[in-house]
Amino acid sequence: MSRSRIDLPPESDPAATHTSEAREERRNYYLGYVLALVLTLPVFAITGFHLLPTKEIYWVAGAAALVQMVVHFRYFLNIRFKGQTREDLHLILFTTLILGLMVGGTIWILFNLAGRM
Amino acid sequence: MSRAPTRHPGLNLGPSHQSADDAASVEVFGFWVFMMSDAVVFGLLFATYAVMVGRTAGGPGPSELYDLKSVFIETLALLTSSMTFGIGATMMKHGNRAGWLVFWLVASFALAALFLGFELHDFVDMVHKGGVPQRSGYLSAFWALVPLHGLHVTMACIWMGAILLQMAKYGLDDAVKTAVLRLGILWHFLDIVWIAIFTVVYVGGLA
Amino acid sequence: MWHALRLFLFGRLGLDNMPFDEILKAHDTTDLISGCIGTFAAALAVGGALVTLWLMTRYRLWGKFWSNWATSVDHKKIGIMYIALAWIMMLRALIEAAIMRGQQVAGYGGGGMLSGDHFGQLFSTHGTIMIFFMAMPFLTGLINFVVPMQIGARDVSFPTLNSVSLGLTVAGALLIMVSLVLQPFSTGGWSGYPPFTEARYNPGPGPDYWIWAVTLSSLGSTFTGMNFAVTIYKERAPGMKLMRMPLFTWTALCTAILMIFAMPPLTVATALLALDRYAGFHFFTNTAGGDMMNYANLFWLFGHPEVYILILPSFGVYSEVFSTFSGKTLYGYSSLVIATMCIAVLSFTVWVHHFFTMGQGADLNAAFGIATMLIGVPTGVKIYDWMLTMFRGRVRMTVPIVYGVGFLFLFCVGGMSGILLANPSIDYQVHNTLFLVAHFHNMLIPGLLFGLIAGYTMWFPKAFGFRLDDRWGYRAAWGWIIGFMMAFFPLYVLGLMGMPRRTVSFLEPAYLPWTIIALLGAFVVLFALFSLFMQLWVSIKNREALAVPVGDPWDGRSLEWSMSAPPPEYNFPVIPEVKGRDAFMTLKEAGDDLGEPEGGFKDITMPANSALGPFLCVTGTATAFGLVWYIWWLALLGAAASFLAVVLRGFARNTERTIPAAEVRRSWERWRDRAMSAPRVPRADELTDANRGHAVPAKQEIVA
């Protein structure tokens, strides 16, 4: 299915594609949901029942959260590395950069200060 | 299977909704920009929480105040509502099925309300345990971060109510369609913020 | 009972908040004079407001004001209103600056003409106004007016939101003006550092005024940033690729992106400070685990990108000025674009240099010091590009070029002092002295303000259809340049001598000669501002002689010069097809600038007026005022009304109206006929009455 959805006039949009596209899109949401659960339930399990040492829980939960964010971007917000408009990708990458700078910088500066008091 | 390029984040309406799709390419992008600005607000509150979590000033700490079971139910409610919202949006896109759209929107609303109910219960519980924001820097940081997300969810619910009323008045017109797409962006964005909250605040506090 | 009612109705507002209270409670002559100055200022503000209201009523202007301006969502009118606001606020803040300079002469040996508190309020309002209510509205106004025309658009992406941004900015400005009458304002400086601004040390309304005024304006700026980023990405005319955009639009894009990401830290900082003050939270308190250093961190996460939000649009103006008035295409276009983007990104990596002395480790300071010095590189690239644009051009020493040349020299001096300050070990010596005050005024006056005034001079004829008188223009330009040097170069010396900033009095006799020179400089600057107002007045009187209705008085290069002056509300009768950089110059050189559009005229859909902006302005002011004075019913009412208005706006349909093709054609033909009858003028006649806004393109002039 390599047609441009923007240039195509609506009447030439065959009903068959329509339903298969609908099914695929719905499948995306179900799949995203299942993946989100797979990435969430174990984290609560290891935290609630203390199945791992604290430090390891941090690592596992942090990694699961990062992966889950990617899952949400991919399956719920329909964002991929290819097939985006240029401005969408610009914006996401720039936001990630700024968040990294601001959050990382804040933590660095304030812990550095606290460590010297 | 290769995929046609999208015009904006979130679900794209595509050529069968030409005029709404054109409007959405500007409006949803604009709303997405707003979300990114909002993401910076949350990012800074997370950073503030991270540097203040140890500043309990002799007051209660995370392990005395948080309830993982309740947070678990909240998480399930919110994750499920993201899925139901998405299904609703596809109902709108494919065949303009207004009835199904309303059904799935109301389901998402109910799940969000469930989330808010449990969260409110958590907050009341914390206050009873002495976890008020005036107690310590740590609690101030908590009460700025987590309720702000709750406030966003509340606003999203009010917005959904307004959209449903607009649908009742005007039917499924272009303005309603793009509003649903924008609300979808907010809905999924708040889910992502919640992932960070349950990981950093609750799992981080109870591990 | 009466007391409870008063408390309910007026909160903590009482008679002792009147400006003459300082006179009544005066202990000595200083207090007395100080109180008189405050009362006089309040009387001026009230008098000015009353006279305006009376004039509007007398000449029945309310209806016109409402339908043509207040509810207008036309980006050009919104831009003009932003700049009008900037001029009013500049007048106030500049007078305050002169009074402070006067105090730093009179305050030698103690006393003087201002009490310490009054002096503190003056430097707080001066800084807050100059940044948030002079510079920001001015540059936002220029961007509003120019950018949609430069990219070939009819309006911004979200016209009503644009009007809301203006409304929020005006609300913040109103709050600051009210603080002149119902006192006091904050004494915490424009950065409002806790714990000084915490409730424990500063329970009065001052810091609250500051918090809400700044919050309103920062919300407005966030929306402006979003609006212009989307506009520039989505509304460009066909063929207007990113790398074909005029440089002013490029800087506007980078500024817009900076606004989107840099205003939130300010909103967070002021919101958390408000939570501390109103609800007893402990973010920045000295007790219960508060961390006031996080405030400095958050504030400057905003504050440093803010510096580039301020300066980038001026860099854009200079790029247009140097190329237009040298009759040459811009030198090093790509390098200027890349430099602008580098500055925008690097601006997020240097914020610690505003608090090198807070106590963090040397390694951390060194990292941020190096990042700070790096910013000098792209800025240096720009300076060379501008000089090379003038090189071998036919430079006309018009008013904007005078500002531009003054900028090139003075900005380099300021940049040098910046490189000094970027070194943490030097910063330790001069921080919190007048050296720093001299440095940032050196960046902001020649860098930011000269650029904005140059842009104002260049685009004024486009907005109103007549040029600005150039004699008063030159007087103003030289007044600014000389006045700036006299007022701020002495502060470098004073800073190195050790004089702290924000000092109400001093005992060191060696300071005095320098503070006197600085005071004289302040007078020259006041003269420059007076010249600008005279220029406006004289130009309005001579508008027939100065008229440039065809719309291209300076032999411009970008699309905004392709239409009549003032432009029709839809800007372009037909959206142009862009084939390269300097889009309008290409058309002119090919002789296509007056040709009838190929596809003919079509109906044009424009956004309809909206009352949402002015409504949110009123409710925003009311909410903030209620919060400042603890008048809770007013705050709640204002907030509820704002919320309801936004929700109801979602129910609005038919927010557009159509201008028929025939009307567009008529208006275009009128303009074309006028252009045909007005001879094209060469650049030698640019400043004469012969200039009706119809230019001979530079290249053809040389051939002829």
Side-chain angles (χ1 to χ4, degrees):
Chain A
M1 195 178 93
S2 58
R3 68 200 170 81
S4 160
R5 285 155 62 190
I6 300 157
D7 301 333
L8 220 63
E11 53 273 18
S12 65
D13 195 8
T17 325
H18 216 88
T19 43
S20 88
E21 192 190 342
R23 216 174 302 127
E24 190 207 332
E25 274 174 8
R26 250 160 249 154
R27 202 169 47 224
N28 263 336
Y29 284 107
Y30 294 132
L31 189 60
Y33 181 55
V34 171
L35 284 174
L37 289 183
V38 168
L39 288 161
T40 303
L41 300 179
V43 172
F44 276 93
I46 57 171
T47 314
F49 305 115
H50 296 284
L51 300 178
L52 288 174
T54 304
K55 262 244 172 75
E56 284 171 32
I57 295 182
Y58 286 160
W59 282 108
V60 173
L66 284 179
V67 176
Q68 186 169 179
M69 285 183 193
V70 175
V71 165
H72 282 237
F73 271 111
R74 166 70 178 75
Y75 291 101
F76 292 159
L77 288 163
N78 292 302
I79 284 160
R80 302 161 211 224
F81 280 108
K82 277 185 188 158
Q84 294 299 133
T85 62
R86 179 167 46 179
E87 43 266 40
D88 289 343
L89 209 62
H90 279 186
L91 193 60
I92 293 164
L93 293 179
F94 193 69
T95 309
T96 315
L97 174 72
I98 296 301
L99 273 176
L101 284 171
M102 286 185 171
V103 175
T106 299
I107 290 173
W108 184 24
I109 293 162
L110 291 169
F111 276 110
N112 186 299
L113 275 161
R116 290 165 58 85
M117 287 215 281
Chain B
M1 193 160 105
S2 74
R3 188 171 142 275
T6 56
R7 300 179 80 181
H8 57 77
L11 188 71
N12 279 227
L13 285 175
S16 49
H17 306 261
Q18 192 69 63
S19 59
D21 194 40
D22 288 343
S25 78
V26 175
E27 285 180 21
V28 178
F29 179 63
F31 193 74
W32 181 247
V33 173
F34 173 60
M35 285 292 90
M36 294 297 104
S37 193
D38 213 26
V40 174
V41 171
F42 277 110
L44 290 169
L45 290 175
F46 273 111
T48 301
Y49 181 83
V51 294
M52 296 195 98
V53 69
R55 296 170 172 263
T56 49
S63 55
E64 296 145 67
L65 294 172
Y66 301 156
D67 174 8
L68 196 66
K69 263 181 240 144
S70 181
V71 174
F72 180 63
I73 295 168
E74 289 159 31
T75 306
L76 283 186
L78 218 50
L79 285 179
T80 313
S81 86
S82 233
M83 188 264 290
T84 54
F85 194 104
I87 300 297
T90 63
M91 291 297 175
M92 174 178 80
K93 174 176 174 179
H94 301 288
N96 285 323
R97 286 189 261 180
W100 279 109
L101 171 64
V102 172
F103 171 81
W104 287 109
L105 287 188
V106 170
S108 312
F109 186 98
L111 286 163
L114 183 74
F115 167 85
L116 286 173
F118 271 88
E119 186 164 60
L120 202 63
H121 166 263
D122 284 357
F123 291 162
V124 172
D125 196 41
M126 276 182 73
V127 171
H128 283 312
K129 289 177 187 158
V132 290
Q134 291 82 0
R135 182 62 191 82
S136 68
Y138 146 67
L139 280 159
S140 294
F142 173 90
W143 283 93
L145 171 62
V146 182
L148 184 70
H149 173 268
L151 195 66
H152 274 71
V153 176
T154 313
M155 289 296 160
C157 287
I158 294 174
W159 189 10
M160 188 185 281
I163 291 176
L164 289 173
L165 285 178
Q166 286 177 42
M167 261 179 89
K169 195 168 171 203
Y170 301 106
L172 201 52
D173 67 351
D174 284 0
V176 168
K177 286 183 197 167
T178 61
V180 170
L181 295 188
R182 276 175 289 150
L183 178 61
I185 298 276
L186 175 64
W187 210 266
H188 299 312
F189 169 80
L190 290 177
D191 239 23
I192 295 177
V193 175
W194 182 254
I195 298 170
I197 288 182
F198 86 66
T199 307
V200 173
V201 176
Y202 291 110
V203 172
L206 294 174
Chain C
M1 172 62 201
W2 164 238
H3 181 71
L5 186 69
R6 211 198 82 176
L7 214 60
F8 173 74
L9 282 180
F10 300 110
R12 55 173 164 170
L13 188 57
L15 277 179
D16 54 346
N17 299 115
M18 291 298 176
F20 45 77
D21 188 60
E22 200 177 7
I23 302 179
L24 300 179
K25 293 185 184 147
H27 294 295
D28 51 27
T29 0
T30 303
D31 286 356
L32 200 64
I33 304 171
S34 182
C36 289
I37 292 175
T39 309
F40 183 68
L44 267 185
V46 173
L50 287 178
V51 168
T52 312
L53 295 184
W54 180 76
L55 284 176
M56 299 261 295
T57 315
R58 170 86 173 65
Y59 293 99
R60 298 169 187 276
L61 294 174
W62 286 107
K64 266 189 198 159
F65 173 72
W66 180 255
S67 53
N68 290 353
W69 293 93
T71 58
S72 171
V73 295
D74 180 342
H75 70 95
K76 299 180 286 298
K77 286 184 176 166
I78 289 176
I80 290 167
M81 286 188 277
Y82 264 117
I83 294 174
L85 173 71
W87 282 126
I88 295 168
M89 300 309 281
M90 193 199 305
L91 177 64
R92 172 176 166 190
L94 206 59
I95 292 172
E96 287 177 341
I99 293 173
M100 284 190 287
R101 287 273 136 260
Q103 170 62 25
Q104 285 199 330
V105 172
Y108 169 57
M113 52 193 218
L114 294 176
S115 62
D117 251 17
H118 196 173
F119 187 75
Q121 290 181 48
L122 283 184
F123 66 65
S124 303
T125 46
H126 170 80
T128 308
I129 289 176
M130 282 301 197
I131 299 289
F132 294 105
F133 300 106
M134 190 288 286
M136 291 293 271
F138 206 145
L139 69 91
T140 308
L142 276 187
I143 290 174
N144 253 294
F145 184 79
V146 176
V147 164
M149 294 194 282
Q150 278 197 337
I151 60 173
R154 296 216 159 103
D155 209 323
V156 295
S157 287
F158 307 109
T160 308
L161 184 67
N162 204 12
S163 159
V164 169
S165 299
L166 172 68
L168 293 173
T169 311
V170 172
L174 277 175
L175 202 63
I176 294 243
M177 290 313 260
V178 167
S179 80
L180 209 50
V181 183
L182 302 172
Q183 293 181 348
F185 194 75
S186 172
T187 51
W190 86 280
S191 50
Y193 271 17
F196 180 74
T197 48
E198 285 285 358
R200 183 169 176 190
Y201 306 103
N202 227 324
D208 300 323
Y209 263 130
W210 180 83
I211 287 172
W212 300 118
V214 166
T215 305
L216 284 168
S217 103
S218 79
L219 282 177
S221 297
T222 312
F223 294 146
T224 297
M226 288 162 23
N227 215 336
F228 277 89
V230 177
T231 302
I232 295 173
Y233 268 123
K234 299 286 187 188
E235 309 290 340
R236 299 192 307 277
M240 180 61 85
K241 297 177 182 161
L242 285 177
M243 286 309 273
R244 287 178 178 174
M245 298 194 308
L247 216 84
F248 182 73
T249 298
W250 260 113
T251 56
L253 175 62
C254 288
T255 283
I257 293 173
L258 290 183
M259 282 177 177
I260 296 164
F261 291 100
M263 301 317 286
L266 176 66
T267 310
V268 170
T270 54
L272 299 189
L273 185 60
L275 284 174
D276 273 9
R277 289 180 58 82
Y278 283 84
F281 280 47
H282 288 286
F283 285 107
F284 312 124
T285 56
N286 328 46
T287 53
D291 183 356
M292 66 283 273
M293 289 178 284
N294 192 21
Y295 182 90
N297 171 62
L298 290 171
F299 186 84
W300 292 110
L301 269 171
F302 142 77
H304 198 83
E306 167 72 8
V307 173
Y308 291 93
I309 291 175
L310 295 174
I311 206 114
L312 285 178
S314 286
F315 284 176
V317 173
Y318 289 126
S319 303
E320 307 288 324
V321 164
F322 285 125
S323 83
T324 305
F325 293 100
S326 305
K328 265 179 74 185
T329 191
L330 196 60
Y331 181 88
Y333 175 91
S334 309
S335 64
L336 277 167
V337 170
I338 294 168
T340 306
M341 289 196 278
C342 285
I343 290 174
V345 174
L346 281 175
S347 73
F348 284 101
T349 63
V350 299
W351 74 98
V352 171
H353 73 217
H354 295 272
F355 47 91
F356 273 150
T357 56
M358 200 161 72
Q360 61 275 20
D363 47 348
L364 200 159
N365 273 350
F368 282 89
I370 292 166
T372 305
M373 292 181 198
L374 278 180
I375 281 203
V377 176
T379 317
V381 168
K382 292 190 156 210
I383 299 272
Y384 284 111
D385 279 337
W386 289 320
M387 293 197 295
L388 288 167
T389 302
M390 296 170 79
F391 182 62
R392 286 191 177 160
R394 298 176 69 213
V395 181
R396 289 113 63 194
M397 287 308 275
T398 52
V399 173
I401 278 275
V402 172
Y403 282 110
V405 173
F407 153 76
L408 284 180
F409 283 100
L410 296 175
F411 194 72
C412 285
V413 176
M416 297 296 174
S417 61
I419 294 289
L420 292 179
L421 284 164
N423 186 332
S425 48
I426 295 177
D427 184 78
Y428 260 84
Q429 304 304 315
V430 291
H431 86 278
N432 212 37
T433 68
L434 286 173
F435 188 87
L436 176 75
V437 176
H439 163 71
F440 69 72
H441 282 89
N442 199 341
M443 302 317 270
L444 290 180
I445 295 176
L448 159 83
L449 192 63
F450 286 11
L452 295 177
I453 301 177
Y456 159 80
T457 315
M458 182 164 73
W459 281 304
F460 185 92
K462 175 52 62 182
F464 294 100
F466 56 96
R467 287 182 292 118
L468 285 167
D469 178 85
D470 43 277
R471 271 167 314 148
W472 281 105
Y474 285 121
R475 277 170 212 163
W478 286 110
W480 276 108
I481 292 171
I482 294 167
F484 159 76
M485 292 197 285
M486 282 175 67
F488 291 98
F489 285 173
L491 301 197
Y492 278 123
V493 181
L494 283 167
L496 289 175
M497 288 163 82
M499 184 169 177
R501 68 192 291 202
R502 296 170 174 169
T503 309
V504 67
S505 63
F506 55 93
L507 299 169
E508 170 59 58
Y511 293 164
L512 193 58
W514 301 101
T515 60
I516 291 174
I517 300 173
L519 173 62
L520 295 177
F523 285 130
V524 181
V525 171
L526 275 181
F527 165 77
L529 186 66
F530 168 76
S531 304
L532 283 170
F533 286 120
M534 274 307 287
Q535 180 193 38
L536 187 60
W537 173 251
V538 170
S539 311
I540 292 174
K541 276 205 342 199
N542 293 340
R543 61 185 178 279
E544 296 297 326
L546 295 167
V548 288
V550 184
D552 181 23
W554 317 121
D555 188 21
R557 316 183 73 82
S558 39
L559 285 173
E560 78 269 30
W561 305 109
S562 70
M563 61 193 75
S564 65
E569 63 163 319
Y570 42 81
N571 297 346
F572 298 92
V574 171
I575 295 294
E577 180 99 26
V578 178
K579 303 211 170 64
R581 281 176 208 157
D582 290 339
F584 179 54
M585 187 53 95
T586 321
L587 278 178
K588 264 195 292 192
E589 284 169 356
D592 287 343
D593 51 334
L594 296 180
E596 188 154 336
E598 274 168 33
F601 295 92
K602 293 195 180 69
D603 289 357
I604 293 174
T605 321
M606 294 299 293
N609 280 14
S610 164
L612 187 65
F615 184 81
L616 289 183
C617 175
V618 173
T619 52
T621 313
T623 311
F625 186 80
L627 285 168
V628 169
W629 293 104
Y630 295 176
I631 309 173
W632 304 121
W633 63 267
L634 184 63
L636 269 175
L637 196 69
S642 311
F643 183 74
L644 207 65
V646 173
V647 173
L648 286 180
R649 170 75 193 175
F651 285 82
R653 295 293 188 274
N654 305 323
T655 54
E656 291 176 332
R657 63 199 176 77
T658 305
I659 300 163
E663 195 183 317
V664 178
R665 166 179 286 279
R666 267 201 304 283
S667 136
W668 179 81
E669 280 170 353
R670 250 198 324 276
W671 169 73
R672 204 253 329 257
D673 295 345
R674 192 178 270 165
M676 293 297 214
S677 64
R680 288 182 186 267
V681 291
R683 289 306 93 201
D685 296 337
E686 189 169 37
L687 301 180
T688 67
D689 293 357
N691 187 355
R692 298 281 112 173
H694 202 194
V696 184
K699 267 187 194 159
Q700 291 164 18
E701 194 179 318
I702 297 167
V703 175

